Amino acid sequence: MIEEDASLFERNRIEKNDKQIRKKIRWVSGILFYKIQTKIFTERHIYEMIQVLNFIWKVYPDQKIPVVIDLGKTVFSEKLIYVLLENICYYMLYVRKQKIEILFSVEHTIWIEGIKFSPLRLLSDTRMYRKKYIDDIYMQHFRRVVPALPQLNKDEYLSRLMEDICYFLKNNGVDEKSKNELAEVLIELVGNALEHGRRECLLDVDISRLYQKDGDDASYYGLNAVVLDYSDILFFQPLKEKMQLYKNLPERYRFVSKAQEYHLQHLTDDYLEEDFYTVSSFQHQISGDARKKEAGGRGLTQLVYSLQERADNHFCYIWSGNRMMRFEHDYMYYDDNKLIGFNQEKNYLSGVPDTNLFRTTMTFFPGTAYNLNFAIRKEDIDD
């Protein structure tokens, strides 16, 4: 099960920090305390927390010593970060059978207001934590751990899930167009996770209260979502293997072959081979699934683009392994062949993407995760 996956800990196991961690851990009345002091809690601090827990399990392998992590007053950099924190705590409670408490006082922002619905506030009640972690529809929050299913059952399940998401968004006043497009994006991501990772995945959506910007009388809602799956298959790998192993691919894949010749000769420290296959996996009617000749549908990038076009602000990215790629509205235009260059020139075939879209992360994410944040004007929300 996704909540029982140990790969996040195993793939980030590094012992060179043990001495530093040992100095910072305090033992008080049978409890291990560790403090992480930062104004903004990012994936780097997720990495630090994983190192601390790996160290505790190594030094005290047979002892279930309660652990307290003190974050103090902080802000989570984005929604996905506190969802990963929830994953870590679930693993501690239900796999390691070890109590954990996270102390924090967090400032709400339009991107992370969903923290008020997080099971992190229920760590002292393990039964309620499990219940809220796996399935929760309450006020402006929708959470579902989606099971891995056979194809026939999967299609039926995804159809029902889309209805549930649409109903949730409509009940919270989201306009018809945004509701349909966000639901379509989420169902495509969930479906891809089930197909490519062949594992269950986690979906979490929240809608924030109204916010205002300085010097702007308009009001904005945050539409925020996370989709993630743990897998030994990284996002770029299926298409890379497909291009290497299969020769008689449909005509559409000739664009990928042509681009491949150019891109692989222009790799840098900021633009890696895996980035090319990530960008190529988002091209229209291209699929890494060996069972599929082509991918149908409207296309994830165009759905995200459409939402970004109506949003006043957005923060969207994919994270797989040690690489993140942001979706930026200005770089997501089709050319005449319905190819996206992810660059200002709109050139996929003979132009590399803007390298500012990519980032190497300290934490290795074993699978694929999406963080989607959209700030929508109140005028675009139905009363």
Side-chain angles (χ1 to χ4, degrees):
M1 295 180 69
I2 191 169
E3 63 269 17
E4 297 177 357
D5 200 301
S7 56
L8 186 63
F9 299 95
E10 293 168 354
R11 295 303 300 268
N12 291 283
R13 191 186 304 278
I14 297 176
E15 298 183 357
K16 66 180 182 180
N17 298 323
D18 281 2
K19 289 184 179 179
Q20 185 178 356
I21 291 171
R22 188 185 295 273
K23 290 179 181 178
K24 291 181 67 175
I25 285 181
R26 293 185 299 116
W27 185 302
V28 181
S29 301
I31 298 174
L32 291 171
F33 283 84
Y34 188 88
K35 181 173 286 189
I36 299 177
Q37 291 184 312
T38 178
K39 291 182 179 179
I40 302 177
F41 191 94
T42 70
E43 63 87 12
R44 289 175 174 267
H45 303 102
I46 291 288
Y47 178 83
E48 181 179 354
M49 192 167 164
I50 291 171
Q51 301 311 307
V52 171
L53 295 176
N54 277 335
F55 172 81
I56 290 172
W57 298 336
K58 184 180 73 172
V59 176
Y60 309 103
D62 301 319
Q63 301 179 54
K64 306 299 181 181
I65 304 168
V67 176
V68 174
I69 307 290
D70 184 1
L71 308 183
K73 186 175 182 179
T74 192
V75 174
F76 293 106
S77 57
E78 60 257 21
K79 182 178 178 70
L80 177 55
I81 298 304
Y82 74 74
V83 172
L84 287 178
L85 200 55
E86 295 170 358
N87 293 176
I88 289 170
C89 290
Y90 195 104
Y91 184 82
M92 278 285 287
L93 291 173
Y94 294 100
V95 180
R96 295 291 305 183
K97 307 296 184 183
Q98 193 165 357
K99 289 183 179 180
I100 185 169
E101 186 176 0
I102 309 294
L103 304 179
F104 64 93
S105 171
V106 65
E107 178 185 344
H108 290 175
T109 71
I110 195 169
W111 300 143
I112 61 155
E113 192 180 292
I115 188 69
K116 67 185 181 183
F117 301 110
S118 172
L120 290 173
R121 301 186 179 278
L122 299 170
L123 285 167
S124 60
D125 186 339
T126 55
R127 185 185 65 83
M128 284 301 298
Y129 187 93
R130 184 186 186 100
K131 181 179 178 182
K132 196 170 179 66
Y133 178 92
I134 293 174
D135 195 319
D136 184 55
I137 303 179
Y138 178 69
M139 297 177 66
Q140 293 87 34
H141 182 235
F142 184 101
R143 158 72 67 91
R144 189 76 54 84
V145 172
V146 181
L149 296 165
Q151 184 65 37
L152 184 62
N153 294 341
K154 187 193 76 173
D155 292 343
E156 182 181 345
Y157 181 93
L158 290 179
S159 178
R160 293 199 310 270
L161 179 61
M162 186 164 186
E163 290 179 3
D164 291 344
I165 294 169
C166 286
Y167 188 72
F168 163 75
L169 295 173
K170 183 177 181 179
N171 276 358
N172 279 283
V174 177
D175 70 279
E176 190 74 10
K177 190 170 180 61
S178 295
K179 177 199 75 176
N180 292 337
E181 288 184 338
L182 182 60
E184 195 173 344
V185 166
L186 296 177
I187 291 302
E188 179 157 345
L189 292 181
V190 170
N192 289 345
L194 297 178
E195 282 185 8
H196 298 162
R198 300 181 177 88
R199 302 274 296 276
E200 59 188 10
C201 72
L202 183 148
L203 166 66
D204 192 286
V205 186
D206 74 82
I207 302 170
S208 80
R209 62 177 173 83
L210 284 174
Y211 283 80
Q212 287 186 312
K213 298 189 300 181
D214 292 339
D216 187 348
D217 293 333
S219 298
Y220 300 86
Y221 275 95
L223 294 181
N224 308 307
V226 161
V227 178
L228 67 83
D229 69 281
Y230 289 102
S231 171
D232 55 1
I233 303 171
L234 299 183
F235 180 79
F236 73 93
Q237 289 176 324
L239 182 60
K240 179 180 179 180
E241 292 174 4
K242 188 173 187 175
M243 296 302 296
Q244 291 174 339
L245 297 176
Y246 297 90
K247 301 303 180 185
N248 298 318
L249 292 171
E251 184 75 18
R252 187 73 181 163
Y253 287 81
R254 292 191 179 183
F255 288 122
V256 181
S257 294
K258 184 177 180 180
Q260 184 176 250
E261 293 177 10
Y262 176 86
H263 283 248
L264 297 189
Q265 292 179 21
H266 292 81
L267 300 177
T268 67
D269 291 341
D270 298 316
Y271 181 55
L272 311 182
E273 182 181 13
E274 63 192 80
D275 299 331
F276 166 70
Y277 289 107
T278 294
V279 165
S280 298
S281 296
F282 286 116
Q283 301 302 327
H284 183 60
Q285 293 187 332
I286 297 298
S287 171
D289 192 332
R291 297 166 296 180
K292 285 187 177 182
K293 292 296 184 182
E294 62 181 34
R298 197 173 146 191
L300 170 67
T301 48
Q302 285 306 289
L303 289 166
V304 172
Y305 171 87
S306 183
L307 282 164
Q308 288 180 339
E309 195 169 39
R310 288 201 311 285
D312 178 76
N313 200 359
H314 56 82
F315 184 50
C316 305
Y317 64 79
I318 177 177
W319 180 10
S320 187
N322 281 114
R323 293 294 276 177
M324 278 185 184
M325 186 185 92
R326 287 185 294 115
F327 299 113
E328 285 293 340
H329 175 269
D330 292 340
Y331 300 122
M332 293 172 64
Y333 293 98
Y334 278 147
D335 66 8
D336 292 340
N337 293 310
K338 284 200 168 183
L339 299 168
I340 303 175
F342 292 96
N343 51 37
Q344 290 185 337
E345 296 75 25
K346 305 175 189 175
N347 184 357
Y348 167 68
L349 295 176
S350 58
V352 299
D354 189 298
T355 55
N356 290 320
L357 298 178
F358 303 98
R359 182 168 76 84
T360 297
T361 61
M362 184 171 286
T363 308
F364 183 97
F365 185 82
T368 303
Y370 291 88
N371 182 91
L372 304 173
N373 297 122
F374 305 97
I376 308 293
R377 286 173 64 96
K378 183 184 178 184
E379 286 77 3
D380 295 326
I381 303 290
D382 293 338
D383 293 329

